[in-house]
Amino acid sequence: SESDANDGGAVSVSVDPNDGGLLVDFVVDATFNLTAKITAAFYASHDGSDGFVPSGAYVFRPDSSQEATPLRTPSFDAAAFRAFRSGVLAETRVAFGDWASVAVRTWSKERVPHAEVEWTVGPIPVEADGVGKEVIVRYSTGLATGGTWATDSNGRDMQPRRRDHRDDWTFRNASEEPVSSNYYPFGSIATLTGDERAGFHLLTDRSQGVGSIRDGELEAMVHRRNLNDDWLGVGEAMNETQCGCRECDCPGLVARGTHLIAATTPATGPRTYRELQTRSQNPTQLAFAKVNGWFEESIR
Amino acid sequence: WDLFRPLAEAVAVAQHHDAVSGTAKQHVTNDYAVRIQRGVDGVEGHFSRTLNAALLTRGSPSAPAPPSPDPDAVATRCPLLNVSACPVTESMTPGDVVAVLAYNPLAWERMEHVRIPMNAAAARRAVVVDASSGEFVPSATLPAPPPAPLAGRTTTQLVFSVALPPLSVSTFFVRSLSENEVLPETALAEAAEETGA
């Protein structure tokens, strides 16, 4: 699906025929296109069996001894996709397994080239394997970022981040918690830096954790379900269910949110993500009224 | 102040770091949510009454007095739009008109992309969107996104993009054409093409 009416250049969505990956292609400038691949995966939550704190309400502690498990094995399955195209909107929907999906939208009448990524996750299954899960949406761009990215956590300025590094103390234990020690909060924007060809920008509609665990990638933790209390005061696991009771095994919660993604030259990045941030954080308020007959005339 | 007190108090209670960060037992977290929703519902009613007052007083002073208000003609927000739920638009039948009021809180013009759920019967025949000036707005319909809607609920989405002036309320009209209404093809909502390409 392609929406190339965007003033700033085309944004198009396609599917990788090799592994079924969802690709969003941005025309950054005349010399460079950036393609972001969208995948969804989960880290197993650490259960604290090593004597250190488990993952829970206070603590984000993926079990780093395992890679994140993709929610769908990489293969092309036509049944997992639906694509729609119209003069107003192009939308591509992907099912990642049977409890997560993503809808990517590009709007024709859009001044700031970007794509909307609506993610829906849950209910997260834990009964079958007895493992808590930290679900992420990952954007892989291939940019040579050298372990650098930036996040904002107050909507005002961007904090430069570097993998396995802290400005104010000596970071030694990179191998112990390679994932959680490289996650930071982002209240609205995370952006990949370090590559003079382009910057990739990710905006969120709620505070989340984000990290660049591998070069050229950004991943955000969007939903979670833990089975262990993290011994820090809540007194129960972060295992919220739809009915809220502790005894029955009713399903977990479903979460839905929206990421906005864009790619620009490094110089024009702030202009783009600031505008998207302002729109996202100050949404238009809609109201509806059925106004047949006299009311319609009166309002007109 | 009495109007806003329930919401103010609920938000005050939710300043606790457990409410902000979700580090509480589920029933406590649910309780925060219930309190805030109760406060929002109180303000919501005021919001609707204010909007209706604005709606019903607009029009020339010499216009005839309105008929007794149609209970459906109450402007309401749809907080569950993100999961394709909006009772007012989902209950449309052919011949109905729904006014969509869009308030832009920014001090500059913005492009807003609107997605509203409709039931298949209202969308099947033909849908038109126009601005209060009467100008047609390009629109399209496509199936509602997963998860599968509840039985009997909406299966279609109407989408359109509109430019909203700064700090103002703009009004658009979504009309589900009745059997005998005929309008130019270009005005009608386009059925999005599902493409396998």
Side-chain angles (χ1 to χ4, degrees):
Chain A
S1 62
E2 193 164 321
S3 159
D4 56 10
N6 295 355
D7 298 345
V11 179
S12 60
V13 179
S14 58
V15 172
D16 184 333
N18 303 313
D19 65 5
L22 186 57
L23 308 175
V24 182
D25 193 64
F26 298 91
V27 176
V28 173
D29 58 23
T31 63
F32 185 67
N33 271 22
L34 182 144
T35 299
K37 173 175 278 190
I38 305 175
T39 52
F42 72 83
Y43 292 104
S45 307
H46 204 296
D47 60 4
S49 53
D50 61 352
F52 289 103
V53 65
S55 199
Y58 277 96
V59 175
F60 172 57
R61 189 187 176 206
D63 182 348
S64 305
S65 65
Q66 315 164 34
E67 282 289 323
T69 306
L71 291 197
R72 184 170 61 83
T73 49
S75 65
F76 182 74
D77 169 10
F81 294 92
R82 292 189 76 181
F84 302 88
R85 187 164 38 194
S86 70
V88 174
L89 162 75
E91 179 164 324
T92 302
R93 302 173 186 167
V94 172
F96 286 112
D98 53 20
W99 50 273
S101 64
V102 155
V104 182
R105 300 188 179 94
T106 55
W107 295 84
S108 300
K109 280 175 71 175
E110 177 52 62
R111 265 184 323 108
V112 181
H114 71 280
E116 265 179 41
V117 179
E118 182 180 77
W119 53 267
T120 305
V121 176
I124 301 174
V126 290
E127 300 75 12
D129 56 13
V131 170
K133 296 178 178 64
E134 322 279 357
V135 183
I136 63 168
V137 173
R138 178 183 285 155
Y139 301 90
S140 310
T141 68
L143 288 177
T145 54
T148 66
W149 72 103
T151 61
D152 99 279
S153 57
N154 63 8
R156 285 195 179 76
D157 60 6
M158 298 297 283
Q159 297 291 319
R161 306 296 184 188
R162 252 177 63 201
R163 193 181 310 122
D164 301 330
H165 171 81
R166 293 291 188 278
D167 284 344
D168 47 10
W169 49 275
T170 304
F171 188 101
R172 273 201 197 27
N173 61 353
S175 61
E176 282 186 27
E177 297 288 348
V179 174
S180 56
S181 60
N182 285 302
Y183 256 64
Y184 293 89
F186 76 126
S188 65
I189 305 168
T191 181
L192 285 173
T193 56
D195 189 317
E196 87 274 349
R197 294 170 302 173
F200 175 74
H201 319 298
L202 167 65
L203 285 94
T204 177
D205 60 355
R206 72 205 60 190
S207 287
Q208 288 177 327
V210 70
S212 180
I213 310 304
R214 289 180 292 222
D215 272 359
E217 288 189 352
L218 271 177
E219 62 185 56
M221 195 270 277
V222 295
H223 196 13
R224 62 192 315 215
R225 194 169 177 192
N226 305 126
L227 300 179
N228 301 91
D229 174 28
D230 57 15
W231 316 330
L232 291 174
V234 173
E236 66 182 25
M238 171 67 80
N239 179 11
E240 298 187 309
T241 61
Q242 291 178 25
C243 65
C245 72
R246 297 263 130 232
E247 287 71 43
C248 64
D249 58 358
C250 64
L253 296 181
V254 176
R256 170 173 281 181
T258 301
H259 286 158
L260 303 179
I261 56 173
T264 65
T265 62
T268 58
R271 176 89 189 91
T272 295
Y273 59 66
R274 283 288 173 220
E275 173 153 352
L276 291 176
Q277 174 194 33
T278 303
R279 280 202 233 171
S280 153
Q281 307 274 321
N282 299 276
T284 298
Q285 298 297 314
L286 294 177
F288 304 85
K290 202 172 284 182
V291 288
N292 296 352
W294 183 90
F295 284 106
E296 180 188 356
E297 287 319 306
S298 153
I299 293 170
R300 284 184 185 278
Chain B
W1 165 245
D2 284 342
L3 206 61
F4 289 95
R5 178 190 296 273
L7 179 58
E9 288 179 350
V11 171
V13 168
Q15 296 308 300
H16 190 290
H17 73 269
D18 283 343
V20 172
S21 59
T23 46
K25 287 186 170 64
Q26 179 168 4
H27 70 83
V28 174
T29 301
N30 289 352
D31 185 59
Y32 285 129
V34 165
R35 288 168 184 270
I36 290 175
Q37 189 57 54
R38 197 178 297 143
V40 167
D41 287 347
V43 174
E44 198 87 32
H46 174 69
F47 177 69
S48 294
R49 281 193 299 277
T50 306
L51 262 183
N52 281 295
L55 280 175
L56 290 179
T57 51
R58 278 209 251 164
S60 65
S62 59
S68 58
D70 169 354
D72 274 345
V74 173
T76 58
R77 281 186 341 111
C78 291
L80 293 180
L81 262 183
N82 66 329
V83 288
S84 301
C86 179
V88 175
T89 56
E90 288 180 279
S91 61
M92 283 181 77
T93 55
D96 278 349
V97 179
V98 164
V100 178
L101 294 92
Y103 169 64
N104 171 19
L106 294 178
W108 35 274
E109 184 184 277
R110 76 190 284 164
M111 181 61 71
E112 183 62 25
H113 306 304
V114 180
R115 290 188 295 132
I116 48 179
M118 293 186 75
N119 64 64
R124 186 176 307 115
R125 196 157 111 69
V127 175
V128 170
V129 178
D130 68 327
S132 47
S133 60
E135 186 189 350
F136 289 118
V137 173
S139 59
T141 58
L142 70 163
L150 301 175
R153 290 292 298 276
T154 185
T155 56
T156 300
Q157 281 204 317
L158 173 70
V159 297
F160 55 93
S161 300
V162 285
L164 301 177
L167 286 176
S168 63
V169 175
S170 305
T171 308
F172 304 92
F173 296 88
V174 174
R175 178 194 305 274
S176 169
L177 295 191
S178 51
E179 291 308 323
N180 49 16
E181 276 186 280
V182 176
L183 277 177
E185 189 71 25
T186 51
L188 305 181
E190 166 200 6
E193 166 212 7
E194 178 157 9
T195 168

